[in-house]
PDB file of all heavy atoms in Angstrom:
ATOM      1  N   GLU A   5     175.824  39.823  12.690  1.00 78.00           N
ATOM      2  CA  GLU A   5     176.074  40.013  11.264  1.00 78.00           C
ATOM      3  C   GLU A   5     174.766  39.896  10.469  1.00 78.00           C
ATOM      4  O   GLU A   5     174.530  40.663   9.509  1.00 78.00           O
ATOM      5  CB  GLU A   5     177.078  38.967  10.748  1.00 78.00           C
ATOM      6  CG  GLU A   5     178.516  39.250  11.124  1.00 78.00           C
ATOM      7  CD  GLU A   5     179.468  38.247  10.506  1.00 78.00           C
ATOM      8  OE1 GLU A   5     179.022  37.411   9.679  1.00 78.00           O
ATOM      9  OE2 GLU A   5     180.668  38.268  10.854  1.00 78.00           O
ATOM     10  N   GLU A   6     173.933  38.971  10.817  1.00 79.00           N
ATOM     11  CA  GLU A   6     172.668  38.783  10.127  1.00 79.00           C
ATOM     12  C   GLU A   6     171.746  39.995  10.321  1.00 79.00           C
ATOM     13  O   GLU A   6     170.916  40.322   9.471  1.00 79.00           O
ATOM     14  CB  GLU A   6     171.961  37.512  10.626  1.00 79.00           C
ATOM     15  CG  GLU A   6     172.618  36.220  10.207  1.00 79.00           C
ATOM     16  CD  GLU A   6     172.555  36.002   8.722  1.00 79.00           C
ATOM     17  OE1 GLU A   6     171.585  36.479   8.089  1.00 79.00           O
ATOM     18  OE2 GLU A   6     173.486  35.360   8.168  1.00 79.00           O
ATOM     19  N   SER A   7     171.931  40.652  11.458  1.00 80.00           N
ATOM     20  CA  SER A   7     171.074  41.820  11.712  1.00 80.00           C
ATOM     21  C   SER A   7     171.588  43.070  11.007  1.00 80.00           C
ATOM     22  O   SER A   7     170.994  44.144  11.090  1.00 80.00           O
ATOM     23  CB  SER A   7     170.986  42.085  13.218  1.00 80.00           C
ATOM     24  OG  SER A   7     172.266  42.414  13.727  1.00 80.00           O
ATOM     25  N   GLY A   8     172.711  42.967  10.270  1.00 75.00           N
ATOM     26  CA  GLY A   8     173.211  44.093   9.486  1.00 75.00           C
ATOM     27  C   GLY A   8     174.363  44.831  10.122  1.00 75.00           C
ATOM     28  O   GLY A   8     174.832  45.817   9.567  1.00 75.00           O
ATOM     29  N   LEU A   9     174.831  44.326  11.291  1.00 76.00           N
ATOM     30  CA  LEU A   9     175.955  45.005  11.964  1.00 76.00           C
ATOM     31  C   LEU A   9     177.243  44.595  11.257  1.00 76.00           C
ATOM     32  O   LEU A   9     177.472  43.404  10.992  1.00 76.00           O
ATOM     33  CB  LEU A   9     176.007  44.621  13.436  1.00 76.00           C
ATOM     34  CG  LEU A   9     177.013  45.406  14.283  1.00 76.00           C
ATOM     35  CD1 LEU A   9     176.647  46.906  14.319  1.00 76.00           C
ATOM     36  CD2 LEU A   9     177.043  44.844  15.708  1.00 76.00           C
ATOM     37  N   ALA A  10     178.069  45.578  10.987  1.00 74.00           N
ATOM     38  CA  ALA A  10     179.290  45.312  10.222  1.00 74.00           C
ATOM     39  C   ALA A  10     180.400  44.847  11.164  1.00 74.00           C
ATOM     40  O   ALA A  10     181.167  45.654  11.694  1.00 74.00           O
ATOM     41  CB  ALA A  10     179.705  46.556   9.451  1.00 74.00           C
ATOM     42  N   ILE A  11     180.476  43.545  11.449  1.00 77.00           N
ATOM     43  CA  ILE A  11     181.557  42.975  12.269  1.00 77.00           C
ATOM     44  C   ILE A  11     182.048  41.703  11.594  1.00 77.00           C
ATOM     45  O   ILE A  11     181.327  41.067  10.829  1.00 77.00           O
ATOM     46  CB  ILE A  11     181.096  42.652  13.696  1.00 77.00           C
ATOM     47  CG1 ILE A  11     179.950  41.630  13.662  1.00 77.00           C
ATOM     48  CG2 ILE A  11     180.721  43.893  14.477  1.00 77.00           C
ATOM     49  CD1 ILE A  11     179.543  41.130  15.042  1.00 77.00           C
ATOM     50  N   ASN A  12     183.274  41.339  11.907  1.00 79.00           N
ATOM     51  CA  ASN A  12     183.854  40.090  11.411  1.00 79.00           C
ATOM     52  C   ASN A  12     183.850  39.072  12.551  1.00 79.00           C
ATOM     53  O   ASN A  12     184.629  39.171  13.507  1.00 79.00           O
ATOM     54  CB  ASN A  12     185.278  40.320  10.907  1.00 79.00           C
ATOM     55  CG  ASN A  12     185.807  39.106  10.147  1.00 79.00           C
ATOM     56  OD1 ASN A  12     185.375  37.974  10.369  1.00 79.00           O
ATOM     57  ND2 ASN A  12     186.732  39.360   9.245  1.00 79.00           N
ATOM     58  N   THR A  13     182.930  38.156  12.436  1.00 77.00           N
ATOM     59  CA  THR A  13     182.734  37.193  13.554  1.00 77.00           C
ATOM     60  C   THR A  13     183.977  36.363  13.804  1.00 77.00           C
ATOM     61  O   THR A  13     184.333  36.078  14.955  1.00 77.00           O
ATOM     62  CB  THR A  13     181.535  36.266  13.247  1.00 77.00           C
ATOM     63  OG1 THR A  13     180.377  37.080  13.030  1.00 77.00           O
ATOM     64  CG2 THR A  13     181.295  35.299  14.369  1.00 77.00           C
ATOM     65  N   LYS A  14     184.685  35.956  12.795  1.00 78.00           N
ATOM     66  CA  LYS A  14     185.875  35.125  12.986  1.00 78.00           C
ATOM     67  C   LYS A  14     186.953  35.879  13.738  1.00 78.00           C
ATOM     68  O   LYS A  14     187.671  35.307  14.569  1.00 78.00           O
ATOM     69  CB  LYS A  14     186.400  34.664  11.628  1.00 78.00           C
ATOM     70  CG  LYS A  14     185.459  33.703  10.924  1.00 78.00           C
ATOM     71  CD  LYS A  14     186.044  33.245   9.597  1.00 78.00           C
ATOM     72  CE  LYS A  14     185.106  32.247   8.891  1.00 78.00           C
ATOM     73  NZ  LYS A  14     185.654  31.766   7.616  1.00 78.00           N
ATOM     74  N   ILE A  15     187.101  37.190  13.418  1.00 81.00           N
ATOM     75  CA  ILE A  15     188.107  37.980  14.152  1.00 81.00           C
ATOM     76  C   ILE A  15     187.708  38.114  15.616  1.00 81.00           C
ATOM     77  O   ILE A  15     188.529  37.999  16.529  1.00 81.00           O
ATOM     78  CB  ILE A  15     188.257  39.369  13.501  1.00 81.00           C
ATOM     79  CG1 ILE A  15     188.837  39.237  12.081  1.00 81.00           C
ATOM     80  CG2 ILE A  15     189.142  40.270  14.340  1.00 81.00           C
ATOM     81  CD1 ILE A  15     188.907  40.525  11.307  1.00 81.00           C
ATOM     82  N   VAL A  16     186.399  38.317  15.856  1.00 78.00           N
ATOM     83  CA  VAL A  16     185.914  38.425  17.243  1.00 78.00           C
ATOM     84  C   VAL A  16     186.175  37.137  18.001  1.00 78.00           C
ATOM     85  O   VAL A  16     186.603  37.155  19.151  1.00 78.00           O
ATOM     86  CB  VAL A  16     184.415  38.785  17.257  1.00 78.00           C
ATOM     87  CG1 VAL A  16     183.862  38.719  18.648  1.00 78.00           C
ATOM     88  CG2 VAL A  16     184.195  40.166  16.649  1.00 78.00           C
ATOM     89  N   MET A  17     185.934  35.993  17.354  1.00 79.00           N
ATOM     90  CA  MET A  17     186.161  34.715  18.032  1.00 79.00           C
ATOM     91  C   MET A  17     187.639  34.502  18.307  1.00 79.00           C
ATOM     92  O   MET A  17     188.011  33.990  19.373  1.00 79.00           O
ATOM     93  CB  MET A  17     185.621  33.573  17.168  1.00 79.00           C
ATOM     94  CG  MET A  17     184.100  33.569  17.049  1.00 79.00           C
ATOM     95  SD  MET A  17     183.489  32.262  15.920  1.00 79.00           S
ATOM     96  CE  MET A  17     183.982  30.803  16.824  1.00 79.00           C
ATOM     97  N   GLY A  18     188.478  34.965  17.365  1.00 83.00           N
ATOM     98  CA  GLY A  18     189.919  34.815  17.586  1.00 83.00           C
ATOM     99  C   GLY A  18     190.390  35.658  18.758  1.00 83.00           C
ATOM    100  O   GLY A  18     191.241  35.246  19.547  1.00 83.00           O
ATOM    101  N   ILE A  19     189.854  36.890  18.835  1.00 82.00           N
ATOM    102  CA  ILE A  19     190.235  37.755  19.966  1.00 82.00           C
ATOM    103  C   ILE A  19     189.695  37.182  21.274  1.00 82.00           C
ATOM    104  O   ILE A  19     190.323  37.279  22.339  1.00 82.00           O
ATOM    105  CB  ILE A  19     189.708  39.181  19.716  1.00 82.00           C
ATOM    106  CG1 ILE A  19     190.387  39.797  18.472  1.00 82.00           C
ATOM    107  CG2 ILE A  19     189.927  40.056  20.942  1.00 82.00           C
ATOM    108  CD1 ILE A  19     189.790  41.124  18.041  1.00 82.00           C
ATOM    109  N   ALA A  20     188.517  36.547  21.247  1.00 81.00           N
ATOM    110  CA  ALA A  20     187.893  36.051  22.476  1.00 81.00           C
ATOM    111  C   ALA A  20     188.627  34.839  23.044  1.00 81.00           C
ATOM    112  O   ALA A  20     188.556  34.569  24.258  1.00 81.00           O
ATOM    113  CB  ALA A  20     186.436  35.688  22.204  1.00 81.00           C
ATOM    114  N   VAL A  21     189.347  34.087  22.192  1.00 81.00           N
ATOM    115  CA  VAL A  21     190.007  32.840  22.683  1.00 81.00           C
ATOM    116  C   VAL A  21     190.978  33.113  23.827  1.00 81.00           C
ATOM    117  O   VAL A  21     190.879  32.512  24.899  1.00 81.00           O
ATOM    118  CB  VAL A  21     190.682  32.109  21.514  1.00 81.00           C
ATOM    119  CG1 VAL A  21     191.581  31.001  22.031  1.00 81.00           C
ATOM    120  CG2 VAL A  21     189.639  31.550  20.566  1.00 81.00           C
ATOM    121  N   PRO A  22     191.983  33.988  23.697  1.00 84.00           N
ATOM    122  CA  PRO A  22     192.912  34.179  24.821  1.00 84.00           C
ATOM    123  C   PRO A  22     192.230  34.794  26.042  1.00 84.00           C
ATOM    124  O   PRO A  22     192.601  34.498  27.187  1.00 84.00           O
ATOM    125  CB  PRO A  22     193.973  35.095  24.228  1.00 84.00           C
ATOM    126  CG  PRO A  22     193.319  35.774  23.082  1.00 84.00           C
ATOM    127  CD  PRO A  22     192.351  34.791  22.516  1.00 84.00           C
ATOM    128  N   ILE A  23     191.242  35.663  25.784  1.00 85.00           N
ATOM    129  CA  ILE A  23     190.572  36.290  26.930  1.00 85.00           C
ATOM    130  C   ILE A  23     189.797  35.254  27.737  1.00 85.00           C
ATOM    131  O   ILE A  23     189.896  35.171  28.964  1.00 85.00           O
ATOM    132  CB  ILE A  23     189.641  37.411  26.432  1.00 85.00           C
ATOM    133  CG1 ILE A  23     190.445  38.504  25.710  1.00 85.00           C
ATOM    134  CG2 ILE A  23     188.837  37.985  27.577  1.00 85.00           C
ATOM    135  CD1 ILE A  23     189.588  39.575  25.049  1.00 85.00           C
ATOM    136  N   VAL A  24     189.034  34.422  27.008  1.00 79.00           N
ATOM    137  CA  VAL A  24     188.246  33.384  27.716  1.00 79.00           C
ATOM    138  C   VAL A  24     189.176  32.368  28.383  1.00 79.00           C
ATOM    139  O   VAL A  24     188.927  31.904  29.512  1.00 79.00           O
ATOM    140  CB  VAL A  24     187.290  32.697  26.726  1.00 79.00           C
ATOM    141  CG1 VAL A  24     186.599  31.503  27.393  1.00 79.00           C
ATOM    142  CG2 VAL A  24     186.263  33.680  26.217  1.00 79.00           C
ATOM    143  N   LEU A  25     190.265  32.037  27.705  1.00 80.00           N
ATOM    144  CA  LEU A  25     191.218  31.082  28.271  1.00 80.00           C
ATOM    145  C   LEU A  25     191.816  31.592  29.574  1.00 80.00           C
ATOM    146  O   LEU A  25     191.923  30.868  30.584  1.00 80.00           O
ATOM    147  CB  LEU A  25     192.318  30.778  27.251  1.00 80.00           C
ATOM    148  CG  LEU A  25     193.372  29.753  27.652  1.00 80.00           C
ATOM    149  CD1 LEU A  25     192.729  28.387  27.823  1.00 80.00           C
ATOM    150  CD2 LEU A  25     194.483  29.664  26.590  1.00 80.00           C
ATOM    151  N   LEU A  26     192.182  32.873  29.572  1.00 84.00           N
ATOM    152  CA  LEU A  26     192.760  33.465  30.782  1.00 84.00           C
ATOM    153  C   LEU A  26     191.730  33.516  31.906  1.00 84.00           C
ATOM    154  O   LEU A  26     192.037  33.176  33.065  1.00 84.00           O
ATOM    155  CB  LEU A  26     193.276  34.873  30.449  1.00 84.00           C
ATOM    156  CG  LEU A  26     193.883  35.650  31.630  1.00 84.00           C
ATOM    157  CD1 LEU A  26     195.082  34.908  32.200  1.00 84.00           C
ATOM    158  CD2 LEU A  26     194.271  37.063  31.188  1.00 84.00           C
ATOM    159  N   LEU A  27     190.514  33.934  31.582  1.00 82.00           N
ATOM    160  CA  LEU A  27     189.483  34.004  32.621  1.00 82.00           C
ATOM    161  C   LEU A  27     189.154  32.621  33.193  1.00 82.00           C
ATOM    162  O   LEU A  27     188.942  32.455  34.401  1.00 82.00           O
ATOM    163  CB  LEU A  27     188.225  34.654  32.045  1.00 82.00           C
ATOM    164  CG  LEU A  27     188.348  36.139  31.677  1.00 82.00           C
ATOM    165  CD1 LEU A  27     187.065  36.638  30.993  1.00 82.00           C
ATOM    166  CD2 LEU A  27     188.646  36.974  32.916  1.00 82.00           C
ATOM    167  N   SER A  28     189.110  31.626  32.307  1.00 79.00           N
ATOM    168  CA  SER A  28     188.829  30.261  32.782  1.00 79.00           C
ATOM    169  C   SER A  28     189.935  29.767  33.708  1.00 79.00           C
ATOM    170  O   SER A  28     189.677  29.156  34.765  1.00 79.00           O
ATOM    171  CB  SER A  28     188.688  29.311  31.594  1.00 79.00           C
ATOM    172  OG  SER A  28     187.615  29.702  30.767  1.00 79.00           O
ATOM    173  N   ALA A  29     191.201  30.023  33.331  1.00 79.00           N
ATOM    174  CA  ALA A  29     192.319  29.595  34.171  1.00 79.00           C
ATOM    175  C   ALA A  29     192.279  30.306  35.516  1.00 79.00           C
ATOM    176  O   ALA A  29     192.519  29.693  36.573  1.00 79.00           O
ATOM    177  CB  ALA A  29     193.637  29.865  33.448  1.00 79.00           C
ATOM    178  N   LEU A  30     191.988  31.622  35.517  1.00 82.00           N
ATOM    179  CA  LEU A  30     191.893  32.354  36.776  1.00 82.00           C
ATOM    180  C   LEU A  30     190.763  31.808  37.654  1.00 82.00           C
ATOM    181  O   LEU A  30     190.882  31.708  38.884  1.00 82.00           O
ATOM    182  CB  LEU A  30     191.687  33.847  36.488  1.00 82.00           C
ATOM    183  CG  LEU A  30     192.900  34.596  35.915  1.00 82.00           C
ATOM    184  CD1 LEU A  30     192.514  36.040  35.564  1.00 82.00           C
ATOM    185  CD2 LEU A  30     194.045  34.589  36.920  1.00 82.00           C
ATOM    186  N   GLY A  31     189.652  31.459  37.033  1.00 79.00           N
ATOM    187  CA  GLY A  31     188.525  30.920  37.798  1.00 79.00           C
ATOM    188  C   GLY A  31     188.854  29.586  38.462  1.00 79.00           C
ATOM    189  O   GLY A  31     188.547  29.350  39.637  1.00 79.00           O
ATOM    190  N   VAL A  32     189.488  28.702  37.680  1.00 74.00           N
ATOM    191  CA  VAL A  32     189.869  27.386  38.263  1.00 74.00           C
ATOM    192  C   VAL A  32     190.888  27.572  39.362  1.00 74.00           C
ATOM    193  O   VAL A  32     190.834  26.908  40.415  1.00 74.00           O
ATOM    194  CB  VAL A  32     190.403  26.475  37.139  1.00 74.00           C
ATOM    195  CG1 VAL A  32     191.004  25.203  37.732  1.00 74.00           C
ATOM    196  CG2 VAL A  32     189.294  26.124  36.158  1.00 74.00           C
ATOM    197  N   TRP A  33     191.866  28.463  39.162  1.00 76.00           N
ATOM    198  CA  TRP A  33     192.894  28.711  40.190  1.00 76.00           C
ATOM    199  C   TRP A  33     192.260  29.260  41.458  1.00 76.00           C
ATOM    200  O   TRP A  33     192.631  28.869  42.567  1.00 76.00           O
ATOM    201  CB  TRP A  33     193.920  29.693  39.626  1.00 76.00           C
ATOM    202  CG  TRP A  33     194.930  30.138  40.652  1.00 76.00           C
ATOM    203  CD1 TRP A  33     196.035  29.464  41.064  1.00 76.00           C
ATOM    204  CD2 TRP A  33     194.892  31.353  41.413  1.00 76.00           C
ATOM    205  NE1 TRP A  33     196.696  30.160  42.031  1.00 76.00           N
ATOM    206  CE2 TRP A  33     196.021  31.341  42.269  1.00 76.00           C
ATOM    207  CE3 TRP A  33     194.015  32.445  41.440  1.00 76.00           C
ATOM    208  CZ2 TRP A  33     196.292  32.385  43.151  1.00 76.00           C
ATOM    209  CZ3 TRP A  33     194.306  33.476  42.322  1.00 76.00           C
ATOM    210  CH2 TRP A  33     195.416  33.449  43.164  1.00 76.00           C
ATOM    211  N   HIS A  34     191.279  30.182  41.292  1.00 77.00           N
ATOM    212  CA  HIS A  34     190.610  30.758  42.455  1.00 77.00           C
ATOM    213  C   HIS A  34     189.820  29.689  43.220  1.00 77.00           C
ATOM    214  O   HIS A  34     189.832  29.659  44.458  1.00 77.00           O
ATOM    215  CB  HIS A  34     189.671  31.891  41.992  1.00 77.00           C
ATOM    216  CG  HIS A  34     188.952  32.564  43.124  1.00 77.00           C
ATOM    217  ND1 HIS A  34     189.596  33.339  44.070  1.00 77.00           N
ATOM    218  CD2 HIS A  34     187.621  32.573  43.458  1.00 77.00           C
ATOM    219  CE1 HIS A  34     188.720  33.796  44.949  1.00 77.00           C
ATOM    220  NE2 HIS A  34     187.506  33.339  44.596  1.00 77.00           N
ATOM    221  N   MET A  35     189.146  28.820  42.504  1.00 77.00           N
ATOM    222  CA  MET A  35     188.387  27.752  43.167  1.00 77.00           C
ATOM    223  C   MET A  35     189.324  26.795  43.918  1.00 77.00           C
ATOM    224  O   MET A  35     189.040  26.364  45.054  1.00 77.00           O
ATOM    225  CB  MET A  35     187.571  26.967  42.133  1.00 77.00           C
ATOM    226  CG  MET A  35     186.412  27.767  41.526  1.00 77.00           C
ATOM    227  SD  MET A  35     185.502  26.805  40.300  1.00 77.00           S
ATOM    228  CE  MET A  35     184.880  25.485  41.344  1.00 77.00           C
ATOM    229  N   ARG A  36     190.459  26.445  43.302  1.00 74.00           N
ATOM    230  CA  ARG A  36     191.418  25.580  43.975  1.00 74.00           C
ATOM    231  C   ARG A  36     191.946  26.233  45.249  1.00 74.00           C
ATOM    232  O   ARG A  36     192.128  25.575  46.281  1.00 74.00           O
ATOM    233  CB  ARG A  36     192.567  25.256  43.028  1.00 74.00           C
ATOM    234  CG  ARG A  36     193.550  24.228  43.591  1.00 74.00           C
ATOM    235  CD  ARG A  36     194.809  24.162  42.776  1.00 74.00           C
ATOM    236  NE  ARG A  36     194.510  23.787  41.398  1.00 74.00           N
ATOM    237  CZ  ARG A  36     195.428  23.825  40.434  1.00 74.00           C
ATOM    238  NH1 ARG A  36     196.654  24.272  40.709  1.00 74.00           N
ATOM    239  NH2 ARG A  36     195.109  23.475  39.220  1.00 74.00           N
ATOM    240  N   LYS A  37     192.191  27.523  45.215  1.00 77.00           N
ATOM    241  CA  LYS A  37     192.702  28.245  46.379  1.00 77.00           C
ATOM    242  C   LYS A  37     191.673  28.246  47.498  1.00 77.00           C
ATOM    243  O   LYS A  37     191.999  28.051  48.684  1.00 77.00           O
ATOM    244  CB  LYS A  37     193.055  29.679  45.974  1.00 77.00           C
ATOM    245  CG  LYS A  37     193.631  30.497  47.121  1.00 77.00           C
ATOM    246  CD  LYS A  37     193.982  31.920  46.646  1.00 77.00           C
ATOM    247  CE  LYS A  37     194.518  32.745  47.805  1.00 77.00           C
ATOM    248  NZ  LYS A  37     194.818  34.142  47.389  1.00 77.00           N
ATOM    249  N   MET A  38     190.409  28.436  47.155  1.00 80.00           N
ATOM    250  CA  MET A  38     189.358  28.438  48.173  1.00 80.00           C
ATOM    251  C   MET A  38     189.241  27.064  48.850  1.00 80.00           C
ATOM    252  O   MET A  38     189.102  26.956  50.075  1.00 80.00           O
ATOM    253  CB  MET A  38     188.021  28.827  47.535  1.00 80.00           C
ATOM    254  CG  MET A  38     187.925  30.289  47.111  1.00 80.00           C
ATOM    255  SD  MET A  38     186.333  30.656  46.327  1.00 80.00           S
ATOM    256  CE  MET A  38     185.211  30.243  47.662  1.00 80.00           C
ATOM    257  N   VAL A  39     189.307  26.012  48.036  1.00 71.00           N
ATOM    258  CA  VAL A  39     189.232  24.658  48.602  1.00 71.00           C
ATOM    259  C   VAL A  39     190.418  24.391  49.525  1.00 71.00           C
ATOM    260  O   VAL A  39     190.284  23.801  50.601  1.00 71.00           O
ATOM    261  CB  VAL A  39     189.153  23.619  47.468  1.00 71.00           C
ATOM    262  CG1 VAL A  39     189.287  22.208  48.025  1.00 71.00           C
ATOM    263  CG2 VAL A  39     187.851  23.760  46.702  1.00 71.00           C
ATOM    264  N   ALA A  40     191.629  24.827  49.136  1.00 70.00           N
ATOM    265  CA  ALA A  40     192.820  24.615  49.957  1.00 70.00           C
ATOM    266  C   ALA A  40     192.703  25.352  51.286  1.00 70.00           C
ATOM    267  O   ALA A  40     193.076  24.830  52.358  1.00 70.00           O
ATOM    268  CB  ALA A  40     194.066  25.054  49.198  1.00 70.00           C
ATOM    269  N   GLU A  41     192.182  26.602  51.258  1.00 75.00           N
ATOM    270  CA  GLU A  41     192.023  27.370  52.498  1.00 75.00           C
ATOM    271  C   GLU A  41     191.015  26.707  53.434  1.00 75.00           C
ATOM    272  O   GLU A  41     191.209  26.660  54.661  1.00 75.00           O
ATOM    273  CB  GLU A  41     191.589  28.792  52.150  1.00 75.00           C
ATOM    274  CG  GLU A  41     192.683  29.619  51.494  1.00 75.00           C
ATOM    275  CD  GLU A  41     192.189  31.006  51.096  1.00 75.00           C
ATOM    276  OE1 GLU A  41     190.959  31.230  51.194  1.00 75.00           O
ATOM    277  OE2 GLU A  41     193.027  31.834  50.699  1.00 75.00           O
ATOM    278  N   ARG A  42     189.937  26.171  52.891  1.00 76.00           N
ATOM    279  CA  ARG A  42     188.945  25.488  53.731  1.00 76.00           C
ATOM    280  C   ARG A  42     189.522  24.214  54.352  1.00 76.00           C
ATOM    281  O   ARG A  42     189.265  23.910  55.522  1.00 76.00           O
ATOM    282  CB  ARG A  42     187.718  25.167  52.893  1.00 76.00           C
ATOM    283  CG  ARG A  42     186.903  26.398  52.519  1.00 76.00           C
ATOM    284  CD  ARG A  42     185.667  26.008  51.719  1.00 76.00           C
ATOM    285  NE  ARG A  42     184.899  27.186  51.354  1.00 76.00           N
ATOM    286  CZ  ARG A  42     183.779  27.140  50.632  1.00 76.00           C
ATOM    287  NH1 ARG A  42     183.331  25.953  50.191  1.00 76.00           N
ATOM    288  NH2 ARG A  42     183.129  28.251  50.336  1.00 76.00           N
ATOM    289  N   ASP A  43     190.328  23.477  53.579  1.00 66.00           N
ATOM    290  CA  ASP A  43     190.963  22.278  54.121  1.00 66.00           C
ATOM    291  C   ASP A  43     191.917  22.626  55.263  1.00 66.00           C
ATOM    292  O   ASP A  43     191.987  21.929  56.286  1.00 66.00           O
ATOM    293  CB  ASP A  43     191.729  21.534  53.024  1.00 66.00           C
ATOM    294  CG  ASP A  43     190.786  20.842  52.050  1.00 66.00           C
ATOM    295  OD1 ASP A  43     189.610  20.655  52.425  1.00 66.00           O
ATOM    296  OD2 ASP A  43     191.234  20.497  50.942  1.00 66.00           O
ATOM    297  N   GLN A  44     192.647  23.751  55.084  1.00 71.00           N
ATOM    298  CA  GLN A  44     193.575  24.174  56.119  1.00 71.00           C
ATOM    299  C   GLN A  44     192.844  24.573  57.389  1.00 71.00           C
ATOM    300  O   GLN A  44     193.227  24.210  58.507  1.00 71.00           O
ATOM    301  CB  GLN A  44     194.442  25.316  55.608  1.00 71.00           C
ATOM    302  CG  GLN A  44     195.508  25.769  56.620  1.00 71.00           C
ATOM    303  CD  GLN A  44     196.370  26.886  56.043  1.00 71.00           C
ATOM    304  OE1 GLN A  44     196.157  27.322  54.915  1.00 71.00           O
ATOM    305  NE2 GLN A  44     197.344  27.327  56.834  1.00 71.00           N
TER     306      GLN A  44
END
């Protein structure tokens, strides 16, 4: 925005919340699965 690009930062952050949340949950689930397979 400071560089003159016409975007609404708050809207971008709002859209990014569910996306980041989903990716974080998938990442933790994937790591847990890998640890379980190694234990097995």
Side-chain angles (χ1 to χ4, degrees):
E5 284 184 7
E6 289 294 330
S7 63
L9 188 63
I11 60 173
N12 191 334
T13 303
K14 293 182 179 181
I15 295 175
V16 172
M17 292 176 65
I19 296 172
V21 169
I23 298 174
V24 173
L25 182 65
L26 178 61
L27 293 175
S28 299
L30 289 175
V32 171
W33 173 81
H34 181 68
M35 291 179 63
R36 186 193 300 171
K37 181 179 178 182
M38 290 178 60
V39 171
E41 289 177 351
R42 289 182 181 179
D43 288 342
Q44 183 178 1

